[in-house]
Amino acid sequence: EGEGEGEGEGEVGGEGPNVLESLSAEPANSSPPPSVHGDMTHGGAPTRGAPAAELGRAASSRAIEEVPLAALHNGRELVMVILFDRRRRQVLLEVPNALGWRLHFGCDGQRDDGGRPTPEPELWATAMARAAEELASAGVSLAASALRPAGLMLFSFRAAHSPMRVRVLEATPERGAKQPASARYHDVEDVPYERMWADDAVWMPTLLTDPPSFFEGHFVFDGGPCAESRLVTHNWDPACATPKLCAQRD
């Protein structure tokens, strides 16, 4: 997300803000939904709200987590890991990853197997397990093994492309330890948002400056999944209930 192909709420499984429903239900001549950081675009004024028909198969779902895996691009979720040193207020970017994202670290999450719907706690467990494996494989050293659920995002595209759901995790890189050669620390004030997807400038400043919390966002782009596409409308809530996770086994 933010670098080309591949790159999404209240208490998991519960009621919570209808960030998807309230966006998809907008009439075509309404104003875009409000955001704390305003409507971000790559140049030009944002267009008006997106009609439900333009949100694809995701539009019939009430909330982000209710979009079925089969409706997502390639029948899978994606996982993003924000490698953030909160004490020094620096984020580690440009870590090599299997998805080929240039700035964020990403990996595959749960895939649709054609069986029963997967409960949210299991989706989070899969996301954390696969992220931990991919981070280790990439040679990323963490100060602690715990990965914190930080957000859930859905991306819809007005181009012919299925929606993408991204689970966002936060991890603390180990300072002073060897990291991948291409990785670079960026101060919170110097994150290169101009090189990222426009949604990053909406949610990431809050994640990097506020105490740990959980956000949700639905972002609609005028083209396909690439940094050149404009963010035309979005819903974003920076203070959602933390998701329920699978119980830890002894």
Side-chain angles (χ1 to χ4, degrees):
E1 202 267 18
E3 306 87 31
E5 175 69 29
E7 325 236 292
E9 165 165 339
E11 190 171 88
V12 171
E15 287 302 318
N18 297 349
V19 293
L20 176 57
E21 182 181 69
S22 59
L23 180 57
S24 62
E26 284 191 327
N29 62 352
S30 68
S31 297
S35 166
V36 173
H37 294 286
D39 293 289
M40 303 293 176
T41 68
H42 282 302
T47 64
R48 295 298 184 180
E54 296 184 355
L55 301 183
R57 296 176 63 185
S60 62
S61 299
R62 185 198 69 83
I64 293 174
E65 76 271 13
E66 292 185 3
V67 178
L69 288 170
L72 300 175
H73 182 57
N74 291 332
R76 63 172 183 178
E77 294 189 324
L78 300 175
V79 183
M80 178 191 299
V81 183
I82 304 299
L83 297 162
F84 185 33
D85 186 333
R86 286 186 171 271
R87 189 168 69 85
R88 291 181 171 85
R89 301 182 74 248
Q90 290 185 322
V91 59
L92 186 66
L93 301 175
E94 303 176 75
V95 177
N97 57 93
L99 295 182
W101 294 352
R102 294 195 302 269
L103 291 168
H104 290 305
F105 185 90
C107 66
D108 281 346
Q110 181 69 46
R111 288 183 177 271
D112 176 45
D113 61 4
R116 66 176 178 83
T118 307
E120 275 290 298
E122 290 185 23
L123 293 174
W124 281 108
T126 297
M128 289 188 284
R130 292 187 177 174
E133 293 174 0
E134 292 295 329
L135 287 166
S137 178
V140 177
S141 299
L142 300 179
S145 60
L147 299 173
R148 181 185 75 83
L152 183 65
M153 301 188 287
L154 184 76
F155 296 90
S156 296
F157 305 95
R158 290 184 175 179
H161 196 284
S162 300
M164 301 191 307
R165 185 166 58 212
V166 179
R167 294 184 186 269
V168 183
L169 302 172
E170 181 183 331
T172 304
E174 185 176 0
R175 200 69 184 200
K178 184 178 180 181
Q179 303 290 4
S182 64
R184 298 289 182 271
Y185 279 101
H186 295 260
D187 293 336
V188 166
E189 297 80 10
D190 297 321
V191 174
Y193 292 114
E194 71 280 0
R195 296 168 54 197
M196 299 177 170
W197 282 19
D199 66 277
D200 288 316
V202 176
W203 58 266
M204 198 168 174
T206 297
L207 186 150
L208 298 180
T209 57
D210 287 5
S213 60
F214 186 81
F215 76 91
E216 291 183 4
H218 181 199
F219 303 93
V220 181
F221 286 84
D222 65 353
C226 62
E228 289 71 34
S229 291
R230 292 191 315 130
L231 177 61
V232 294
T233 190
H234 68 276
N235 259 347
W236 172 68
D237 188 337
C240 295
T242 302
K244 293 179 180 177
L245 304 179
C246 292
Q248 297 292 324
R249 296 182 178 179
D250 295 332

